[in-house]
Amino acid sequence: MIEFKLPEYDLVWNRDYSLTGNQFSVNTLDGRIKLKYERKAMKKYFNGTWKFGTAKLVHKFQKWFLHIPVTKDFSELDYTDVNNIVGIDLGINFLATAYDSQGKTTFYNGKIVKHKRGKFKVTRKQLQKKQTPSARKKLKQIGSRENRYVTDVNHQVTKALVEKYRRGTMFVLEDLTGIRSATEKVRVKNRYVSVSWAFYQFRQLLEYKAQLNGQKVIVVDPKYTSQTCPKCGHVEKANRNKELHLFKCKNCQYESNDDRVGAMNLHRKGIEHIGVVTAGV
Ligand SMILES: [Zn+2]
C-alpha cells in the first residue's frame, strides 16, 4: 500500500518519477518504489521522440491513477520536400478515392457506411413518430451510436491512407467548408444524407495523422473538380453522369469512374498549388 498526503499529487519527471520500457519508479514517503505496468499501449512513447511531463497521481474510485502528459515536437513538412501528391475525393459511394503521383487509384468503399446510415435513419423515423419519453431517449442513443460509427470509419480510412503513402506525401482535399454547412444535406438517390460534419472530421483526422507521419494535407477550391476532363482540360457539367457514376468527356471521349476523375483533378490542383507556393524558392 502506497500512502500519499494528498488525494492528488504532482510528480515531476526524473525527480519524483521515471518510466522506462519496463517499469514505473516513484518516490514516496517510504522511499523509492518500483512497479511493473501494462506496457503494450505505452510502447510507442519509448522511441526517443517523446517527452514526459509532470504527471498527476489521482485517487479515484478507491484506486490510484497516474496521468502522464507526453509531448513531441513536429516540424511541418516543407513544400520543397514533398515527393508524392495524392488527390482524395470524398464521396458517398466511395468514402474516399485516392489518386497518386504514380497514377494509381485506390478506392475506400463507403457502401457499408451508406447502408448502415440508411438503416439508422429508418429506425430514427419510426421512433420520431412515437413521441414517448422512452422513444426520445432511444433516439438520442441512436444518434450518438451513429456518430461513433462514422468516427470509427473515418479513423480507419485516414489511418489506412497515412500508412499506405510514404513520408513526404501531400494529400489534397476539397475545401468543403464553404459550400456545405453543418446542417446542409446532400441528395443521394431519393434520400438526403448529412455528410458535412463527417467530411470535416475526416479532414481533421487526416491532418493530425499526416503530421505525425511526415506528411501534410492541403485543401483546394472544389470548383469544377467533378466536371473537368483530366486528359484534355475540357470543362462541362454534362461530362459527368452522376446516376451511372461515370465521367465521359464531351470533347475527347475520355471515360472513367467519376470519383476517380475527381481525385485526378485534385491531384493536378495539388501540383499547381506546389508550383505557386514554391515559385521563386
Ligand atoms: Zn477530355
Side-chain angles (χ1 to χ4, degrees):
M1 173 92 183
I2 314 164
E3 285 199 55
F4 295 92
K5 274 191 257 171
L6 297 162
E8 205 178 290
Y9 207 86
D10 278 340
L11 301 176
V12 176
W13 169 250
N14 264 349
R15 188 191 78 187
D16 305 319
Y17 85 101
S18 70
L19 206 61
T20 67
N22 296 314
Q23 64 179 10
F24 165 61
S25 156
V26 61
N27 280 336
T28 71
L29 297 175
D30 300 324
R32 203 160 184 93
I33 290 177
K34 288 174 181 175
L35 299 164
K36 284 205 183 313
Y37 67 95
E38 177 51 47
R39 287 173 295 174
K40 210 177 162 200
M42 290 290 292
K43 217 175 149 189
K44 63 179 172 192
Y45 300 110
F46 289 100
N47 61 8
T49 64
W50 294 87
K51 283 191 193 117
F52 295 98
T54 296
K56 248 187 179 29
L57 193 60
V58 182
H59 195 234
K60 244 199 281 188
F61 318 116
Q62 275 112 49
K63 276 184 178 161
W64 288 97
F65 292 89
L66 186 70
H67 301 276
I68 307 171
V70 287
T71 51
K72 181 173 175 164
D73 291 329
F74 289 98
S75 50
E76 179 116 9
L77 174 65
D78 200 85
Y79 282 110
T80 49
D81 295 327
V82 170
N83 57 31
N84 184 32
I85 297 175
V86 179
I88 302 174
D89 184 88
L90 294 178
I92 305 294
N93 265 306
F94 293 112
L95 202 74
T97 305
Y99 182 84
D100 65 28
S101 288
Q102 284 71 48
K104 197 168 175 289
T105 311
T106 310
F107 294 98
Y108 296 86
N109 207 325
K111 275 181 187 141
I112 311 154
V113 182
K114 187 175 155 187
H115 175 71
K116 201 148 181 174
R117 296 195 86 183
K119 264 169 75 181
F120 274 127
K121 200 183 173 182
V122 172
T123 321
R124 212 160 43 219
K125 267 214 169 129
Q126 287 166 347
L127 289 167
Q128 268 158 357
K129 274 188 204 143
K130 282 187 181 167
Q131 292 287 350
T132 61
S134 81
R136 270 198 287 276
K137 197 179 161 194
K138 261 204 179 118
L139 210 57
K140 244 188 166 172
Q141 285 171 348
I142 281 186
S144 52
R145 226 166 70 204
E146 186 178 359
N147 290 356
R148 273 202 304 275
Y149 177 72
V150 173
T151 300
D152 190 43
V153 172
N154 274 346
H155 264 300
Q156 286 173 33
V157 176
T158 50
K159 184 170 184 274
L161 281 165
V162 299
E163 282 174 359
K164 180 179 169 70
Y165 298 104
R166 60 174 177 261
R167 294 180 81 79
T169 292
M170 180 177 87
F171 295 103
V172 187
L173 293 177
E174 282 181 315
D175 186 359
L176 297 168
T177 49
I179 48 166
R180 283 173 190 155
S181 69
T183 49
E184 198 178 336
K185 291 177 179 183
V186 182
R187 196 180 159 79
V188 186
K189 273 189 189 168
N190 305 320
R191 59 190 192 83
Y192 289 85
V193 182
S194 174
V195 288
S196 53
W197 79 264
F199 284 175
Y200 186 66
Q201 185 192 51
F202 182 95
R203 174 180 158 185
Q204 284 184 312
L205 291 175
L206 189 66
E207 276 172 351
Y208 159 71
K209 285 173 190 168
Q211 203 181 12
L212 287 180
N213 229 24
Q215 302 160 330
K216 75 191 294 161
V217 178
I218 63 157
V219 289
V220 295
D221 188 350
K223 227 176 186 178
Y224 308 125
T225 35
S226 61
Q227 306 170 14
T228 308
C229 174
K231 290 293 162 201
C232 75
H234 177 67
V235 182
E236 193 178 332
K237 205 174 176 184
N239 280 347
R240 184 194 191 186
N241 186 327
K242 276 189 181 179
E243 292 295 307
L244 298 174
H245 297 294
L246 188 74
F247 181 98
K248 192 175 179 189
C249 179
K250 296 285 174 194
N251 179 50
C252 74
Q253 315 304 315
Y254 174 74
E255 222 181 282
S256 190
N257 170 277
D258 60 347
D259 289 330
R260 179 169 179 264
V261 165
M264 288 169 93
N265 284 326
L266 287 168
H267 176 262
R268 179 181 43 79
K269 284 190 177 190
I271 294 171
E272 286 166 7
H273 183 85
I274 290 253
V276 172
V277 293
T278 59
V281 170

